[in-house]
Amino acid sequence: MPESDVEIHSAQSLVRWLTECVAMHLARPADTIDASVPLSDYGLDSVYALSVIAELEDHLDVSLDPAIMWDNPTIDALSKALAEELALNG
Amino acid sequence: MTATTPHASAATGTAARSPAPVPAGGSDPVPELVRRLDELAVAGGPFSAEALGALDAREGFPAEACRALDEFGLPRYYVPVEHGGALDDFSTVMRLLRAVSRVDLTVAAAHGKTYLGAVSTWIAGAPDRATWLGRRIAEGAVVSCALTERHHGSDLLAGEVTAREADGGAGWRVTGEKWLINNITRADLVTVLARTDPAGGPRGFSLFLVDKSRLTSEQLNPLPKVPTYGIRGADISGMEFHDVRVPSDALIGEAGRGVEIILKALHLTRTGCVAMSLGAGDHALSLAARFTTTATTDDGTSISELPHVRRELGAAMAGLLLAEATGLVAVRAVHALTAEMSVVSAVAKAYVPAQVDDLVARLLHSLGPYGLLDADGHGRFAKLERDHRIIGIFDGSSLVNRNALIDQFARLSRGYRTGRQDEEGLDEATDLGARLRPFDPRALSLLSGTGASVVAGLPAAVDRVHDLAVTEAASDRLATLAERLRRATDRLHEEMAAVRFPPRAVPGHAFELAERYELCFAAAAALHLWLRRRDGLDEAWLRGCLVTALTELGEPVGETEREDLDILADALLSARPGTVPSLLDSLEGTVR
């Protein structure tokens, strides 16, 4: 897992972390993942997406509604939604 | 719609304790139902073995038995108190359905299905719709739930039944076929999962509560009853919807939320299925006890005195107690560990029916041909063996549930390593004398944030057994068994942590790990229940459970340790005829 070394999570840092996380799950290089493409296009199905959320929760030390990934199906959208949530609750 | 809150640190403290486990709604309805079922089981009654056997033989629906349950008022227990019913404690419904299942699984599956039909409305519907549905159920309406389709099985996201918004926003139009649905032909109302976004996906489906009485025969075409291996009398059929117009208020919750709602609803119904398996297990053991005590060998020895028969009966009894421990803790977890139900319900639904299938097979092996022919005059054992096979498939098969566990392995192994748990919830779920908090459907989650407190709490529970052994409040034998369970559970979690797989490529050995996880959960549940028991209770039943769990985990178990199984056999054989020892008897001090 990528290390958590930033206290403030910007959308940009989240995009980076999520891209690496997804790349690891899909066993492909991070630079082949396009953050604007729906994750389901990479074969990351809706149920599997929940285990990515579990890692994200542990990384950020927050609890999330796992369905956040269903409402924000790309890395870009998810990062933006997360950054907003974290700013609201931080 | 996303809630973000910091992880709450594990709460401490003990749950509020009430002197006796009487349901908050007043007197306990279970003994009354058991009495009523006994009355209805006399010769010629709708619950008699001959009447139910005859219906089964000709695949007839047990309408009279279902009507008798309606008259008793059982449907009220499918409706939450806030919507006008009597459901305020899921463990009460479980005991009620277990009592029915002890007599007949076809009746239990047919009657209990209304809860599955209604549950989506309870957890996500508008309050006025929930009150309306509660009233309909109280008046005797049968409610079904249509998820699966002919070509897609468990893959809900592949569903083709479609709902389009009608012109001008005046409701929806539903088209397509649902198939292999319990009660769909006889139901008055059906909850239907339909595609509302042509692109599909987890936000592409919605749930609708369809009132069949308002539709014409051109709009609905019931499909023929499907002949089944067991529960032959049940209405397992299908339905074609031909451009069926349903009003706007038929939509349950928000459009696009259907998959999320139903996955959460299944956390409850999968747990409820446990009641049917436990009832079938009770029935199987009581028939086996009766047969082995009355049948004799050629030299006049009672079969129950043969050492190998006694050992098999004891092993089956231990299997049922482990299944019961899992079921009791799981159903209490609906209230006390609601957010963990994605794990708990998957364990309960995968483990308990499989355990009961195993014990039925084990007994059948011991009884030999007598089990199928002579154990009773109405083929009851053979019928329950057939009937019970379906329970492992209802509401998500064992494979589906084990897959759900595997998807959470990373979280579960991290949680176990760090001891992350909800201590207060665990205490409430495993102390049968503790008053359960009201169930809050908003706390259901697709993914357990804490992991599984029952298993994460095992190491501390084993430490407690060691402490008790020092003061001789627990035997050294128990402490040794508990310690071996902890080590096996430690090793299992290391193996779980090492499981890595790309989407849709779950490795085969992960399913074997999931089965071992279920055993560790079951044994941990038994240990927690014993530690929180209210009065002096012989620890032999717990040792029997641990011996069985360790054996099934592949751990070496010695002959001396197996002798505890004979103690359980003696408890079974000396029980009042027609009854089977239960943790509820021992822990609550009451007869079921």
Side-chain angles (χ1 to χ4, degrees):
Chain A
M1 255 325 77
E3 287 297 316
S4 170
D5 55 1
V6 276
E7 283 302 313
I8 301 156
H9 300 285
S10 65
Q12 205 182 4
S13 70
L14 286 165
V15 167
R16 227 171 15 244
W17 188 89
L18 276 167
T19 304
E20 281 181 45
C21 176
V22 166
M24 191 202 68
H25 279 276
L26 297 174
R28 56 190 285 172
D31 58 11
T32 66
I33 308 278
D34 184 338
S36 65
V37 169
L39 290 167
S40 56
D41 287 10
Y42 293 111
L44 208 149
D45 65 61
S46 53
V47 176
Y48 193 89
L50 299 179
S51 40
V52 175
I53 285 294
E55 281 178 36
L56 188 60
E57 285 183 314
D58 292 350
H59 168 69
L60 300 173
D61 195 26
V62 292
S63 63
L64 301 163
D65 180 343
I68 190 173
M69 204 128 171
W70 295 354
D71 293 320
N72 301 280
T74 66
I75 290 177
D76 278 343
L78 183 59
S79 304
K80 193 160 164 284
L82 282 170
E84 282 168 14
E85 285 288 336
L86 294 169
L88 280 177
N89 291 280
Chain B
M1 288 300 289
T2 307
T4 313
T5 49
H7 273 309
S9 58
T12 51
T14 47
R17 297 201 166 186
S18 60
V22 171
S27 66
D28 185 356
V30 180
E32 200 187 327
L33 177 64
V34 171
R35 251 194 323 275
R36 186 77 190 115
L37 289 169
D38 281 346
E39 290 165 10
L40 294 165
V42 297
F47 277 92
S48 66
E50 54 178 335
L52 292 165
L55 281 170
D56 190 60
R58 63 179 164 87
E59 299 175 84
F61 185 80
E64 208 188 323
C66 284
R67 216 161 28 241
L69 295 178
D70 286 346
E71 282 161 13
F72 173 80
L74 187 55
R76 292 177 59 232
Y77 292 91
Y78 305 152
V79 182
V81 280
E82 60 269 32
H83 304 309
L87 169 56
D88 60 358
D89 178 344
F90 279 87
S91 65
T92 304
V93 200
M94 184 176 88
R95 287 159 60 231
L96 289 166
L97 282 176
R98 180 177 181 176
V100 177
S101 305
R102 208 173 284 143
V103 188
D104 191 80
L105 279 176
T106 309
V107 177
H111 204 271
K113 174 73 185 221
T114 288
Y115 183 76
L116 174 59
V119 61
S120 297
T121 298
W122 304 151
I123 66 176
D128 59 328
R129 287 292 284 174
T131 304
W132 173 82
L133 180 60
R135 206 163 47 237
R136 290 289 304 269
I137 292 171
E139 290 164 2
V142 171
V143 192
S144 178
C145 180
L147 305 178
T148 55
E149 299 179 11
R150 197 180 291 268
H151 302 295
H152 310 302
S154 298
D155 189 358
L156 298 183
L157 291 180
E160 294 178 67
V161 168
T162 298
R164 281 173 297 118
E165 274 198 277
D167 292 339
W172 300 77
R173 292 182 171 281
V174 181
T175 295
E177 179 199 272
K178 288 290 180 183
W179 191 65
L180 278 190
I181 312 294
N182 182 11
N183 274 349
I184 196 166
T185 298
R186 54 183 290 270
D188 303 285
L189 297 139
V190 188
T191 294
V192 180
L193 181 71
R195 184 180 286 254
T196 41
D197 177 346
R203 287 292 190 227
F205 292 79
S206 306
L207 287 164
F208 298 88
L209 182 60
V210 178
D211 188 347
K212 281 171 63 191
S213 65
R214 294 171 60 166
L215 302 172
T216 64
S217 54
E218 289 88 66
Q219 294 173 301
L220 285 181
N221 181 32
L223 300 171
K225 169 179 160 54
V226 177
T228 47
Y229 177 70
I231 60 166
R232 291 177 181 169
D235 165 27
I236 307 284
S237 53
M239 185 70 67
E240 284 173 1
F241 298 86
H242 298 295
D243 199 26
V244 169
R245 174 83 168 265
V246 297
S248 302
D249 65 2
L251 179 67
I252 301 170
E254 288 174 57
R257 303 272 154 170
V259 170
E260 181 179 356
I261 295 167
I262 205 68
L263 287 178
K264 290 177 177 174
L266 287 169
H267 292 175
L268 305 179
T269 62
R270 284 174 177 165
T271 307
C273 282
V274 164
M276 290 190 274
S277 288
L278 294 178
D282 292 338
H283 193 183
L285 273 166
S286 86
L287 288 173
R290 198 176 62 184
F291 174 68
T292 53
T293 45
T294 50
T296 54
T297 60
D298 292 342
D299 65 1
T301 314
S302 166
I303 288 184
S304 65
E305 288 170 32
L306 299 174
H308 70 279
V309 171
R310 210 156 143 254
R311 183 58 59 85
E312 285 296 304
L313 288 174
M317 189 67 241
L320 183 62
L321 291 172
L322 267 174
E324 184 180 43
T326 309
L328 289 177
V329 170
V331 79
R332 294 180 63 86
V334 168
H335 297 260
L337 294 166
T338 316
E340 298 186 11
M341 289 312 291
S342 64
V343 176
V344 176
S345 66
V347 166
K349 183 61 184 42
Y351 176 72
V352 175
Q355 186 71 20
V356 171
D357 274 339
D358 282 355
L359 80 85
V360 168
R362 186 186 280 276
L363 292 173
L364 202 52
H365 187 72
S366 308
L367 301 182
Y370 304 103
L372 291 169
L373 301 173
D374 297 351
D376 64 86
H378 305 285
R380 277 184 282 193
F381 200 95
K383 180 177 183 304
L384 88 84
E385 189 271 340
R386 279 187 285 106
D387 289 350
H388 186 262
R389 294 291 191 92
I390 190 78
I391 310 298
I393 299 168
F394 271 162
D395 293 9
S397 68
S398 302
L399 278 180
V400 167
N401 283 296
R402 290 189 175 129
N403 206 140
L405 284 177
I406 295 164
D407 284 329
Q408 301 180 76
F409 269 4
R411 162 67 56 83
L412 291 171
S413 49
R414 277 197 296 269
Y416 184 77
R417 199 173 58 239
T418 59
R420 184 161 68 189
Q421 60 190 284
D422 174 349
E423 286 178 30
E424 192 181 348
L426 177 61
D427 197 39
E428 190 177 322
T430 57
D431 178 350
L432 295 183
R435 190 179 290 282
L436 288 167
R437 70 190 80 175
F439 164 63
D440 177 6
R442 289 166 305 179
L444 287 169
S445 174
L446 297 172
L447 198 66
S448 171
T450 30
S453 297
V454 171
V455 181
L458 176 67
V462 173
D463 286 343
R464 177 92 184 101
V465 173
H466 284 304
D467 290 346
L468 291 171
V470 170
T471 59
E472 295 185 359
S475 69
D476 288 337
R477 242 159 100 188
L478 176 63
T480 308
L481 290 169
E483 184 58 35
R484 274 153 60 193
L485 174 66
R486 166 160 58 184
R487 289 188 190 156
T489 309
D490 287 352
R491 284 198 304 276
L492 170 66
H493 281 81
E494 284 164 23
E495 289 182 66
M496 285 162 56
V499 174
R500 284 272 180 266
F501 57 94
R504 295 198 175 228
V506 182
H509 81 280
F511 285 89
E512 192 255 325
L513 298 181
E515 286 190 52
R516 279 163 57 195
Y517 186 81
E518 293 155 22
L519 283 164
C520 293
F521 186 107
L527 186 52
H528 290 305
L529 286 170
W530 184 76
L531 284 171
R532 290 175 179 79
R533 71 202 184 283
R534 289 311 171 94
D535 43 24
L537 173 66
D538 194 286
E539 66 169 48
W541 73 265
L542 175 61
R543 292 200 309 267
C545 285
L546 297 187
V547 162
T548 299
L550 287 168
T551 305
E552 291 180 23
L553 282 164
E555 299 291 316
V557 176
E559 173 53 28
T560 318
E561 288 163 325
R562 279 188 216 283
E563 282 169 9
D564 278 325
L565 299 176
D566 297 336
I567 299 176
L568 294 180
D570 291 341
L572 170 68
L573 292 167
S574 60
R576 195 161 53 83
T579 65
V580 169
S582 156
L583 296 177
L584 289 172
D585 296 335
S586 314
L587 298 175
E588 288 186 352
T590 55
V591 175
R592 284 173 285 122

